[in-house]
Amino acid sequence: MRKDAGIDGDAQRISQLVWMVFLKVFDAKEEEWERLYDNYEPIIPEGLRWRDWTADDKGMTDEELLGFVNNKLFKGLKELHFDGNSHSKACIVRSVFEDSYNYMKSGALLRQVIRKLNEIDFTTQKDRHIFNDIYETILKDLQSAGNAGEYYTPRPVTQFVVNMVNPRLGEKVLDFACGTGGYLLSALEHLRQQIKSVDDNRILQETIIGIEKKPLPYMLAVTNMILHDIDIPKICRDNFLTRNVEEYKPVDKVDVIMINPPFGGKEEDGIASNFPLQFRTKETADLFMVLLMYLLKENGRACVILPDNFLFEKDTVKINIKKKLLREWNVHTIVRLPKGVFEPYTDIETNLLFIEGGKSTEHIWYFEHPLPDEYKKYSKTRPIRYEEFEIERKWWNNRSANEHAWLVSIHEITERNYNLDIKNPNKNKNDDCFSADKLRDVMINTSTKAINLMEERKKNTIAFLDYVRSINRKRRKYKIGQLLTRIKDTLILDDETQYKRVTIKLNHGGIYLRDIVYGKEIGTKRQFKISRGQFLLSRIDARNGAFGIVPEELEGAIITGNFWTYEAKHELLNIDWFNLFTSTSEFMAIVKESSSGTTNRKYLDERKFLQFEISLPDKAEQDKFMQYYSAMIENYESLKKELERQNHMMGYIKDHYIG
C-alpha cells in the first residue's frame, strides 16, 4: 500500500486496509448467516459482495478493477437503501462506508492487497485468530497516524477494569468514547462466561453499547465485534457531548460505564453550553466526566481513566466536578498508575477512578500500582502486563493499608479543597522523592527546554513575520465568486432513515451536530447534503459570524435552504487559509455589508457577497503560510506544556520538601 501514489501516510493506509477487511469479514459472516437462517436476504447486494468481485482474479483489468471500486462499489454501499422493514445490518454497512474512501490509485497494487487478504478465510475459527494479530498490528501502527492515542487503551488495563467492575449479564454496559472497542471486547469476553442459554446470548447482543465519533476507530470496533459474533454491534458514530445533558431521561441511563476519555482534547465552541454553567469547559475529559454522572444509573458502577491533573488542578470547573462526583457518588477506589502505561501516545501518569452509586463518598482507598523491579517506567518495549494487576486483585476484596494502599477520609479531601492528588504515606519518603541532585537536573532540563522553545518561537516568529511581509507584496485580487462555487446537493428525506442535522454557532463558533432524527420527524422533506471541507454559512446570521468549514464527522449531514454551501476552487484556494481569513474583521465587514433587511431579520445577498474582492497569495504561498502558521501553534503548545511541567514540579517541591 505504501507504494501506491494515492496513499499519503499511515492514516490513509490503515483506513484503506480497515474498510477492505471489514468488507471481507462481513462477507464471511453473511456466508455463515446464509447457512444458519432459512430465506436469509443478503445485506450487501449481489455484485458488491467481497466474493463477487475479488474471487475471479482475472475477471477485470487493473483499470476496470479500480473503476469498479470507485464508481460502483463505494457508490452502492454509501447509498445502500434501508427503511423500517430493513435489517439493522444494512445501517451498519452504510455507516461504515459513509466516511470511507478508496485512496489507492493503482489497480495492480489494489489487486495485490486483495490477493493477500484472500489468503485468510474468516469463515474458519483458525483463521479468525489471524484477525487478532491484524487488529493488534493496526493498533500499534496507529501511533504514527496522528492523534491516535485516544483510540487505544492497553488490553491489560481494560481486562483489569472489567474484572473489578464485574458487569453482569442483563446489565447495560456503555463506553461513550469507545475508540477501537477495547473495553467493549473485554466486557464481551467477561460476559460470555455467564451465558447458559440461547436467550442469554440474545441479551448479550443487546447490552454492550459503544459510541465513537471518528470513522477509523469506529470501523475497527465494528469489524472486531462482528468477528467476535456480535451480529449487530450496538456501536454508534456520534459525539454524546452535543446533546444537552439535562435532556437525558431514566430510560437513557445504563448500569455500567467504563471509559478512557481523550486526554488534553479540546471541544469546539458551543459544546459547553450543553452542560450546566458550573461545569462549562472546553476540556474533553472533564466534560466526559460530567456526562458520566448524567448517564449512570443511581445504583450503577463505573470506572474512568483520568490524568493526574484532574486530581490536583484547582480551576473552578474541575473543583465543581469533583464536588458533584464525591457528594453524589461513591468514589471508593483510585488506582494510581505509573508513567508510561499509555506509551507511545503519552508519558503522563494516569489514574483509574472506580465509582458506584447509592451513596456519597465517605472515604477513598488509594492503591499505587508498583512498577516491576528494575523498571523506571513503562515503555513501548516494556508495556504493562495483565499479570502485574494480581497484587490489586488479591487486595480488592480484603482491604487493609500496606506499602501500596492507604485510606483517605472525605473530611481530609474537603480540607484540601478537593485536591485528590494524595501521595502514598506508607512509602519511604526518600523513595518517593527525587534526590536533591535529581530534582535539580529535572528542573534545569525543564527550564532549558522552555528557554529553547522560547528562542525557537522568537526565531520562528521573526521568520514568519518576514514571510508574511514578503507574500503581502505578491497578492492578487479575486472576487469571492471566483474562489467559491455554490453547491446544492438536494436530498428528499426518507421517513425511516436517520439524518444528522447541523447548526452553526455565532461569532465564528463553527459547525456542530444539532441532533440525529428520523426523516418522519422533519417537516420539510427537501433538504440539502453537506460534505467535509465545504464552506457553510447561514444566510440569516452570516453577519453575526455564523459560518465555518464542515468538519469530517459531519460528512453527509443535512441542512435547510437557509444554509448555503460552497465548494472551494482548490487550484486557487487553500480552505484552511480561507477559514482563517473568515475570522478577520475584513471578512466580517464583507458579510455585514452584504446583508440587508429589517433590524432583526437581515439576509445575506449572495450576488453582492460573491462580488466582493479579497486579495490573497497564490495557492502555493497559501499552503506555505498554513505550514508556518501550524508550526507556530505547535510550538506554542509545546511551550505551554513545558511551563505546565514547571508548575507541576513546584507543586511537587511543596508537597515533598515542605509539606
Side-chain angles (χ1 to χ4, degrees):
M1 283 184 175
R2 289 192 174 105
K3 296 177 184 176
D4 192 282
I7 301 290
D8 184 15
D10 280 346
Q12 290 185 358
R13 176 180 61 82
I14 293 167
S15 180
Q16 176 86 15
L17 179 60
V18 171
W19 75 252
M20 296 179 76
V21 170
F22 170 84
L23 208 54
K24 181 167 175 60
V25 166
F26 195 87
D27 190 42
K29 290 299 292 186
E30 288 221 276
E31 283 189 48
E32 182 181 315
W33 295 327
E34 285 168 1
R35 292 194 300 269
L36 290 175
Y37 308 116
D38 294 335
N39 303 318
Y40 175 78
E41 291 290 332
I43 302 300
I44 297 180
E46 190 171 351
L48 302 183
R49 297 175 300 182
W50 178 268
R51 72 192 93 159
D52 296 335
W53 58 276
T54 66
D56 184 0
D57 197 38
K58 299 179 181 178
M60 292 183 271
T61 66
D62 293 341
E63 285 188 7
E64 287 172 341
L65 174 63
L66 201 61
F68 168 80
V69 170
N70 289 332
N71 303 321
K72 291 185 179 178
L73 179 70
F74 270 80
K75 187 175 187 297
L77 296 179
K78 284 176 184 281
E79 297 176 357
L80 197 62
H81 176 75
F82 57 90
D83 53 32
N85 298 319
S86 301
H87 204 287
S88 301
K89 292 169 186 161
C91 179
I92 291 170
V93 174
R94 198 171 84 171
S95 68
V96 164
F97 278 87
E98 274 176 346
D99 291 295
S100 298
Y101 300 90
N102 175 45
Y103 292 107
M104 297 188 74
K105 292 184 177 179
S106 166
L109 291 173
L110 178 62
R111 192 183 300 278
Q112 288 181 39
V113 177
I114 290 168
R115 287 174 180 168
K116 183 60 65 175
L117 285 173
N118 275 339
E119 293 176 15
I120 307 170
D121 182 1
F122 285 125
T123 61
T124 69
Q125 198 62 39
K126 174 179 173 289
D127 277 11
R128 281 190 185 191
H129 290 299
I130 294 174
F131 180 77
N132 292 328
D133 296 331
I134 296 172
Y135 181 75
E136 293 297 328
T137 301
I138 289 172
L139 292 179
K140 289 174 185 174
D141 286 350
L142 279 171
Q143 66 184 276
S144 58
N147 297 322
E150 61 200 66
Y151 306 158
Y152 178 62
T153 308
R155 293 292 165 264
V157 175
T158 63
Q159 284 179 272
F160 169 70
V161 168
V162 168
N163 287 341
M164 297 304 98
V165 174
N166 190 24
R168 296 182 283 274
L169 193 65
E171 292 182 321
K172 282 188 176 180
V173 178
L174 171 66
D175 180 352
F176 51 87
C178 73
T180 52
Y183 270 131
L184 304 181
L185 290 164
S186 292
L188 179 63
E189 292 166 4
H190 182 85
L191 290 166
R192 278 237 162 91
Q193 299 173 23
Q194 303 172 31
I195 291 178
K196 296 178 181 176
S197 67
V198 174
D199 281 344
D200 285 350
N201 189 58
R202 178 186 56 77
I203 291 168
L204 176 63
Q205 298 266 343
E206 292 292 319
T207 51
I208 297 181
I209 306 162
I211 309 294
E212 174 53 45
K213 72 175 184 178
K214 296 193 176 181
L216 177 56
Y218 167 77
M219 278 195 289
L220 268 171
V222 168
T223 304
N224 212 359
M225 293 293 278
I226 289 174
L227 205 60
H228 282 77
D229 295 317
I230 298 297
D231 292 347
I232 310 172
K234 294 178 75 67
I235 303 176
C236 180
R237 273 282 314 279
D238 199 0
N239 179 2
F240 260 28
L241 299 179
T242 59
R243 180 175 172 183
N244 192 309
V245 292
E246 294 179 338
E247 293 177 2
Y248 286 106
K249 301 178 177 63
V251 69
D252 300 315
K253 300 192 175 189
V254 300
D255 303 282
V256 173
I257 294 175
M258 294 172 288
I259 184 170
N260 175 18
F263 304 155
K266 297 292 181 185
E267 293 299 316
E268 61 195 41
D269 292 340
I271 291 293
S273 63
N274 292 316
F275 293 78
L277 189 61
Q278 68 269 33
F279 304 130
R280 290 183 183 174
T281 176
K282 285 190 175 183
E283 193 162 335
T284 303
D286 288 354
L287 293 175
F288 272 124
M289 188 68 244
V290 177
L291 180 57
L292 181 149
M293 291 186 273
Y294 281 89
L295 287 174
L296 191 62
K297 287 183 178 178
E298 288 184 9
N299 60 345
R301 306 180 308 288
C303 181
V304 58
I305 301 176
L306 290 170
D308 269 6
N309 72 318
F310 177 84
L311 302 188
F312 66 73
E313 279 190 5
K314 298 176 182 177
D315 71 72
T316 304
V317 171
K318 275 191 173 61
I319 290 175
N320 288 339
I321 294 171
K322 287 185 276 192
K323 281 181 181 178
K324 178 179 174 66
L325 177 64
L326 297 172
R327 289 173 181 175
E328 299 181 13
W329 302 88
N330 180 23
V331 182
H332 58 83
T333 310
I334 296 179
V335 175
R336 310 212 65 175
L337 299 176
K339 280 187 175 183
V341 170
F342 288 88
E343 283 274 21
Y345 310 118
T346 181
D347 193 37
I348 62 175
E349 291 168 302
T350 51
N351 304 270
L352 307 177
L353 274 67
F354 289 87
I355 302 160
E356 63 185 13
K359 65 176 183 177
S360 60
T361 303
E362 296 176 359
H363 54 253
I364 299 175
W365 275 103
Y366 285 78
F367 195 101
E368 187 173 51
H369 181 82
L371 280 164
D373 291 342
E374 300 180 359
Y375 275 38
K376 292 184 178 178
K377 67 170 192 173
Y378 292 112
S379 65
K380 184 180 175 182
T381 55
R382 286 179 156 186
I384 194 168
R385 295 173 297 117
Y386 180 67
E387 297 75 26
E388 293 170 30
F389 285 106
E390 182 63 23
I391 188 170
E392 283 97 337
R393 292 196 297 271
K394 286 181 177 178
W395 168 86
W396 200 264
N397 294 319
N398 187 22
R399 300 185 174 196
S400 60
N402 58 41
E403 61 180 312
H404 305 296
W406 64 102
L407 189 65
V408 180
S409 71
I410 190 65
H411 175 72
E412 182 178 345
I413 290 166
T414 54
E415 287 288 308
R416 293 168 53 91
N417 195 23
Y418 295 91
N419 180 352
L420 298 173
D421 186 27
I422 300 174
K423 306 303 179 186
N424 186 351
N426 304 323
K427 195 173 181 181
N428 185 311
K429 193 162 187 176
N430 290 329
D431 291 341
D432 194 40
C433 294
F434 289 120
S435 67
D437 288 343
K438 178 66 174 176
L439 183 63
R440 182 197 62 192
D441 292 342
V442 171
M443 290 292 286
I444 289 173
N445 185 51
T446 304
S447 299
T448 303
K449 282 184 180 178
I451 291 167
N452 291 340
L453 284 166
M454 289 177 73
E455 283 297 317
E456 184 182 345
R457 183 167 175 78
K458 180 181 175 182
K459 286 189 291 186
N460 289 346
T461 301
I462 293 169
F464 185 47
L465 292 175
D466 287 343
Y467 174 69
V468 170
R469 279 195 292 270
S470 74
I471 64 170
N472 277 345
R473 295 192 290 269
K474 303 176 186 178
R475 289 171 175 260
R476 290 180 55 193
K477 292 277 188 180
Y478 291 92
K479 291 181 179 178
I480 293 177
Q482 293 177 281
L483 304 172
L484 300 176
T485 302
R486 177 79 177 275
I487 302 294
K488 296 181 181 179
D489 191 356
T490 307
L491 178 70
I492 305 301
L493 303 189
D494 174 69
D495 282 351
E496 300 305 321
T497 299
Q498 283 189 318
Y499 298 96
K500 294 183 282 190
R501 297 194 294 184
V502 304
T503 189
I504 311 178
K505 280 288 181 183
L506 304 182
N507 302 316
H508 207 259
I511 303 162
Y512 72 98
L513 183 68
R514 174 183 164 194
D515 54 25
I516 302 176
V517 296
Y518 282 96
K520 61 188 173 186
E521 299 175 43
I522 302 173
T524 304
K525 296 302 178 189
R526 183 173 180 268
Q527 303 267 328
F528 302 90
K529 278 200 302 185
I530 59 175
S531 299
R532 63 179 176 176
Q534 291 177 334
F535 178 63
L536 181 66
L537 61 77
S538 162
R539 63 187 290 253
I540 299 172
D541 281 313
R543 63 194 173 88
N544 294 317
F547 42 73
I549 307 302
V550 177
E552 180 181 345
E553 62 268 20
L554 294 180
E555 172 80 28
I558 61 171
I559 54 172
T560 67
N562 281 324
F563 296 94
W564 293 345
T565 313
Y566 297 88
E567 192 76 50
K569 294 184 180 176
H570 295 290
E571 67 277 11
L572 295 175
L573 188 65
N574 178 313
I575 196 63
D576 293 323
W577 185 95
F578 185 72
N579 189 39
L580 205 57
F581 172 71
T582 62
S583 64
T584 65
S585 56
E586 180 184 347
F587 187 79
M588 285 303 302
I590 289 172
V591 291
K592 285 179 180 177
E593 197 170 331
S594 303
S595 302
S596 59
T598 62
T599 303
N600 296 319
R601 207 69 172 171
K602 290 188 177 182
Y603 292 93
L604 188 74
D605 182 329
E606 184 182 32
R607 183 192 59 79
K608 193 173 180 181
F609 170 65
L610 295 178
Q611 286 298 311
F612 266 97
E613 286 189 338
I614 62 173
S615 62
L616 75 161
D618 64 33
K619 176 64 163 41
E621 296 290 0
Q622 293 171 53
D623 295 342
K624 191 174 177 182
F625 176 92
M626 291 311 301
Q627 289 175 359
Y628 266 114
Y629 186 82
S630 298
M632 290 282 287
I633 296 296
E634 186 176 339
N635 179 266
Y636 168 74
E637 292 296 333
S638 298
L639 177 57
K640 190 168 78 170
K641 285 180 182 176
E642 288 305 321
L643 294 175
E644 285 173 353
R645 287 192 188 100
Q646 289 262 343
N647 187 50
H648 183 63
M649 289 305 298
M650 295 307 295
Y652 181 91
I653 290 169
K654 184 179 71 175
D655 286 345
H656 291 81
Y657 288 91
I658 299 173

